[in-house]
Amino acid sequence: MPEQAEGTAGVPTREVRDLLRRRREQIAQRWADEPLFRAVFTLSRDEAVEAGKAVVDALAQVADTARVEDPDAAGFTAVREQLSRMGAARSRSGLSTTQVSSELAALRPPVENLLVADLPEDTPAEHVRDCVSTLSVLMGTLRVVVMQTALSEGQALIDRQRLQLLEVATPVIKLWDGIVAVPLIGTLDSARSQVVMETLLESIVEQQARYAILDITGVPTVDSLVAQHLMKTVAAARLMGAECIVSGIRPAIAQTMVHLGLDLGTVVTRASLADALGYVLHQLGVGIVTPGTNGAVAR
């Protein structure tokens, strides 16, 4: 045990630790009626009580190491995932971060009442204050752990959803046997450009495509980094055995590429998606037949 816990300064910490272990059942029973536990564990009160016991055990372990101010204390490891699920569940139900924090703060009074009641009547007031202060710090650290974990989980969820949206916003369309196209709409950034490259290359393999059309008609502008990503996509497609045609380059994008000094000599470009498809069909030897006047047929 740390030196602090062995000395006089560690006495309040030991008092809190012993209380948590001694009153584990009572604390868990009282917590089961608090909004945080009651609203999350709606199917069974026993489940809420067991969850409460797990948290009490974690707090006792943290107090045992005298690291009541440390959110990274090993005691929190066992319940961190459970606490994050609880915080996330309350957030999904419409509660703000402040409201979730308030529900966590409501867990302290039941424990504090038991702590004060268990201390001998002749306990000096200063010692009582020290014990209550130690408990307050420990419960405050618990709030920090829950909020940190919940925010981290929330950010991870946002990142996953963002990637899913990027994939949905980057469809690969099979136009003809051996021809795929990626019509891009909206702003391109480095992350989306990377998704475009990965999605296109995967489709080239799946469809055994010989030609890939990258249509950027719906992209208003690109920066220098994105322009380089597009060029790398063309080069990567070529390495996969497919010729990549870029169509719909706007004047502003063309100027950006020229100012960057990008070598477009080996890249096939067309004004529109229709022009690009016509070029590819011609390369495949497919004739395009259109009705002429007076029933004549022009090729």
Side-chain angles (χ1 to χ4, degrees):
M1 187 179 297
E3 294 181 1
Q4 181 186 11
E6 293 295 335
T8 304
V11 173
T13 305
R14 292 199 301 271
E15 293 271 17
V16 171
R17 177 201 63 193
D18 293 343
L19 168 81
L20 292 169
R21 290 175 175 171
R22 184 173 62 252
R23 294 288 195 174
R24 175 174 178 263
E25 180 69 31
Q26 292 94 325
I27 293 171
Q29 290 286 346
R30 296 188 183 189
W31 280 357
D33 296 323
E34 293 294 330
L36 179 64
F37 283 84
R38 189 177 66 248
V40 174
F41 301 96
T42 57
L43 298 179
S44 169
R45 189 177 187 279
D46 291 340
E47 186 182 7
V49 172
E50 290 303 314
K53 289 179 181 179
V55 176
V56 174
D57 290 341
L59 292 175
Q61 184 179 346
V62 173
D64 193 40
T65 61
R67 296 171 61 186
V68 295
E69 298 179 355
D70 186 4
D72 296 321
F76 290 121
T77 303
V79 295
R80 193 177 292 272
E81 182 178 351
Q82 173 184 281
L83 293 171
S84 70
R85 288 200 305 268
M86 293 168 63
R90 299 302 284 145
S91 297
R92 287 195 299 270
S93 66
L95 269 67
S96 66
T97 303
T98 302
Q99 290 172 315
V100 175
S101 181
S102 297
E103 289 191 351
L104 287 162
L107 301 180
R108 180 178 60 83
V111 186
E112 183 178 317
N113 293 337
L114 288 173
L115 174 64
V116 174
D118 276 15
L119 291 172
E121 293 183 1
D122 59 349
T123 302
E126 182 179 358
H127 182 69
V128 175
R129 286 195 301 270
D130 288 343
C131 291
V132 171
S133 176
T134 299
L135 176 64
S136 297
V137 172
L138 180 59
M139 296 302 295
T141 305
L142 175 67
R143 291 168 64 186
V144 172
V145 170
V146 175
M147 300 313 297
Q148 282 182 342
T149 309
L151 289 173
S152 177
E153 290 290 329
Q155 185 59 50
L157 176 61
I158 290 172
D159 291 341
R160 289 195 298 270
Q161 291 176 335
R162 182 171 181 268
L163 181 58
Q164 291 170 355
L165 287 173
L166 286 176
E167 293 173 348
V168 170
T170 312
V172 178
I173 303 171
K174 180 180 179 181
L175 298 180
W176 199 273
D177 288 339
I179 306 173
V180 295
V182 183
L184 297 175
I185 299 175
T187 303
L188 276 178
D189 56 16
S190 296
R192 190 181 179 197
S193 298
Q194 183 64 33
V195 173
V196 170
M197 178 186 293
E198 294 174 357
T199 305
L200 180 60
L201 295 181
E202 289 174 1
S203 296
I204 289 174
V205 174
E206 292 174 2
Q207 302 293 335
Q208 297 183 340
R210 293 173 55 191
Y211 295 92
I213 301 174
L214 192 59
D215 183 69
I216 58 174
T217 304
V219 179
T221 185
V222 297
D223 58 21
S224 58
L225 189 58
V226 172
Q228 292 173 0
H229 268 296
L230 293 177
M231 297 303 297
K232 290 178 181 178
T233 300
V234 173
R238 186 177 295 117
L239 290 174
M240 298 294 293
E243 181 179 356
C244 189
I245 299 91
V246 180
S247 64
I249 299 178
R250 291 170 175 263
I253 297 176
Q255 292 181 40
T256 299
M257 291 182 171
V258 170
H259 288 319
L260 290 172
L262 297 176
D263 182 13
L264 301 178
T266 58
V267 180
V268 178
T269 61
R270 288 295 183 269
S272 67
L273 178 58
D275 291 337
L277 179 59
Y279 164 81
V280 172
L281 291 176
H282 178 72
Q283 293 296 111
L284 291 173
V286 178
I288 302 175
V289 180
T290 57
T293 58
N294 301 322
V297 177
R299 291 180 181 270

